[in-house]
Amino acid sequence: MRARLSTTFRSLTVRNYRLFAGGQLIKLIGVWMMYVAQDWLVLELSNDSPTALGLVTALQFVPVMLLTLYAGTLADRFDKRTLLMVSNGVWAVLAIAQAILIATGVIELWHIMIFAGLLGVAQAIETPVRQAFVSELVGKPLLPNALSLSAATFQTARITGPALAGVAIAWLGTGPVFLVSTVMAIAPVLMQARMNPTELHRPELLPRDERAEAKVVDGLRYVRTRHDLLLPMAMMFVIAMFGYNFQLTLALLAKTVFATGAATFGLFNTALAVGSLAGALAGTARKGRPSVYLLLAAAVAFGLLAIAVGFAPYKWLVLLLLVPTGFSTVFLGQAANQRVQLGVDGAFRGRVMALYVLIFLGTAPIGSMVISWIAEHFGAAAGIWLGGAVSLLAALAALVWQLRHAGDRLAFQARPTPRVRVVRQESVAVA
């Protein structure tokens, strides 16, 4: 057990990464509390309108569509630690202003929409920079473990935040939840200020005279020539747009399908996050780049589980299914992230990760509006299972694409245990 723990948490031996992870954990707990409270407040102010909730969710991610690629060029040009401190500081100021309006009782729906867009601007700058910054904290040998622990940090916050928010909303109302979350939002700035810049790993950065020439189009051309990067990005473009909408659909499922309160919404999020945390920790032992077929298998599993959640007729069954669904959600996203990060040249990491973030988060405005329209006309459950069906089709299409590109094929093995295996072209040639 001691050996396993030392392997799982080995990136925490690096002081800079400990500070980074600690700041992120505190902030993300507050962020998830704020998101849950915000979703509930929007439903209260809009008479349970899925369209209003979808619009607010979309506004959070519109800046990601517009600014993320530019943020990637900033990450390849300037000091990532400084950029993170500035963007996190702006987020904290905006969150405090919104909390004051809510606490004083003057908040209106259009205020929430404006803050959603402004907070999205800060997120659009922070996310790709943070993704690229992890490699500077630990170096490439520890990067798979650090990425997995970062995902585990996110999921730990996702477990704690919604659970705390659900109980706090029921007991105290939305105002206190927002106030607590704003205090926690300043943690990353304080932690990043304590880092030692001389211990950062920056051997792969562009020379200073070349950083000013780093352009978005160069990153796009780089990805276009790399099938191993293009496939996960194309597949995740579809899955993130239609399948990763649980922030929207679970709120609607709890309130409109099962006619329950904020506490059940918190339980749904917690069940999803418990599985997600297990999925994140499952990848901490990985020392290299995940295979493309592991990625594709995770995508197929996610699609099937999301369909099952959408068709589940009972609240207890939804809770049970959300655990493996959360596992597959994070295991898939983590495998895609690691396959991209560990396959990209350091000089292009900021721009490539910005493109990945754009695909992963920037599709949310489109997806949330489509899913909210489906939920409004056909019910929240339809929004979930249709998203799962589209995700499954995307995974199967990516599998066919990969098999044709590599010249591999699938074979069914009945004994000793039934399973599907990949017969690689090299194996056929040798035989």
Side-chain angles (χ1 to χ4, degrees):
M1 177 63 70
R2 183 177 299 175
R4 174 62 179 168
L5 290 175
S6 64
T7 300
T8 300
F9 300 103
R10 59 186 181 275
S11 292
L12 293 178
T13 59
V14 180
R15 179 179 179 273
N16 281 344
Y17 184 79
R18 287 199 304 274
L19 292 170
F20 171 82
Q24 285 299 117
L25 177 61
I26 296 171
K27 176 191 173 181
L28 288 172
I29 290 175
V31 168
W32 276 106
M33 291 178 67
M34 186 180 75
Y35 279 159
V36 171
Q38 175 184 277
D39 290 348
W40 210 253
L41 183 60
V42 168
L43 290 175
E44 289 179 348
L45 294 175
S46 65
N47 295 319
D48 298 339
S49 170
T51 300
L53 185 57
L55 181 58
V56 171
T57 303
L59 287 171
Q60 291 173 344
F61 295 103
V62 165
V64 176
M65 297 178 64
L66 301 177
L67 300 175
T68 294
L69 291 180
Y70 177 70
T73 65
L74 295 178
D76 284 335
R77 291 179 183 178
F78 303 109
D79 183 82
K80 298 179 181 65
R81 173 170 162 265
T82 301
L83 289 173
L84 286 175
M85 292 175 65
V86 172
S87 58
N88 280 311
V90 170
W91 172 285
V93 170
L94 291 170
I96 291 170
Q98 181 177 229
I100 291 173
L101 290 179
I102 294 171
T104 54
V106 299
I107 193 74
E108 296 183 18
L109 186 59
W110 66 270
H111 293 149
I112 297 177
M113 291 180 179
I114 291 176
F115 277 108
L118 293 175
L119 289 167
V121 172
Q123 181 185 22
I125 302 297
E126 189 264 355
T127 303
V129 178
R130 171 170 45 82
Q131 291 274 350
F133 187 52
V134 175
S135 64
E136 293 189 4
L137 291 167
V138 297
K140 198 165 186 178
L142 287 176
L143 184 56
N145 178 259
L147 291 173
S148 297
L149 285 181
S150 294
T153 298
F154 179 86
Q155 299 309 326
T156 300
R158 194 175 181 180
I159 292 172
T160 309
L164 291 175
V167 174
I169 292 172
W171 287 358
L172 305 174
T174 55
V177 175
F178 277 91
L179 290 173
V180 171
S181 67
T182 57
V183 174
M184 302 171 76
I186 199 67
V189 180
L190 301 178
M191 295 295 191
Q192 288 153 13
R194 296 180 57 198
M195 289 180 182
N196 186 349
T198 62
E199 296 178 359
L200 296 175
H201 299 258
R202 293 173 169 172
E204 296 178 329
L205 283 178
L206 288 171
R208 185 174 297 275
D209 58 344
E210 296 181 24
R211 293 182 201 175
E213 302 299 324
K215 298 178 181 178
V216 170
V217 68
D218 296 329
L220 298 176
R221 289 170 180 165
Y222 177 81
V223 171
R224 188 179 62 186
T225 62
R226 296 280 305 274
H227 174 268
D228 61 324
L229 301 179
L230 190 58
L231 183 142
M233 287 189 172
M235 183 181 71
M236 293 308 297
F237 175 84
V238 178
I239 293 177
M241 183 184 298
F242 296 103
Y244 282 19
N245 286 287
F246 291 111
Q247 180 187 347
L248 168 66
T249 54
L250 291 183
L252 295 172
L253 196 67
K255 195 168 182 67
T256 64
V257 175
F258 295 108
T260 54
T264 298
F265 178 37
L267 282 176
F268 281 170
N269 277 282
T270 300
L272 187 74
V274 167
S276 299
L277 177 59
L281 292 175
T284 55
R286 189 176 294 135
K287 297 181 179 180
R289 196 181 186 200
S291 73
V292 65
Y293 291 110
L294 177 66
L295 172 68
L296 293 170
V300 170
F302 168 78
L304 292 172
L305 287 165
I307 292 172
V309 171
F311 281 111
Y314 306 111
K315 183 173 67 174
W316 63 266
L317 185 56
V318 171
L319 285 170
L320 288 178
L321 288 171
L322 282 174
V323 176
T325 302
F327 183 97
S328 66
T329 299
V330 171
F331 192 87
L332 167 60
Q334 181 178 280
N337 188 313
Q338 291 179 351
R339 185 152 182 84
V340 172
Q341 281 242 42
L342 295 172
V344 67
D345 294 333
F348 289 91
R349 181 167 283 117
R351 282 164 287 176
V352 171
M353 292 314 299
L355 180 59
Y356 180 80
V357 170
L358 176 61
I359 288 170
F360 204 81
L361 298 179
T363 54
I366 301 172
S368 62
M369 293 306 296
V370 172
I371 295 299
S372 65
W373 183 88
I374 292 172
E376 184 144 17
H377 289 81
F378 303 101
I384 297 176
W385 70 257
L386 276 173
V390 173
S391 300
L392 179 59
L393 290 175
L396 294 175
L399 176 60
V400 172
W401 182 17
Q402 173 61 27
L403 290 172
R404 289 184 176 179
H405 177 82
D408 300 334
R409 63 184 177 86
L410 295 180
F412 178 75
Q413 177 179 304
R415 297 179 180 178
T417 56
R419 67 187 181 95
V420 177
R421 63 188 182 91
V422 177
V423 179
R424 297 187 178 275
Q425 186 180 31
E426 296 83 351
S427 300
V428 176
V430 171

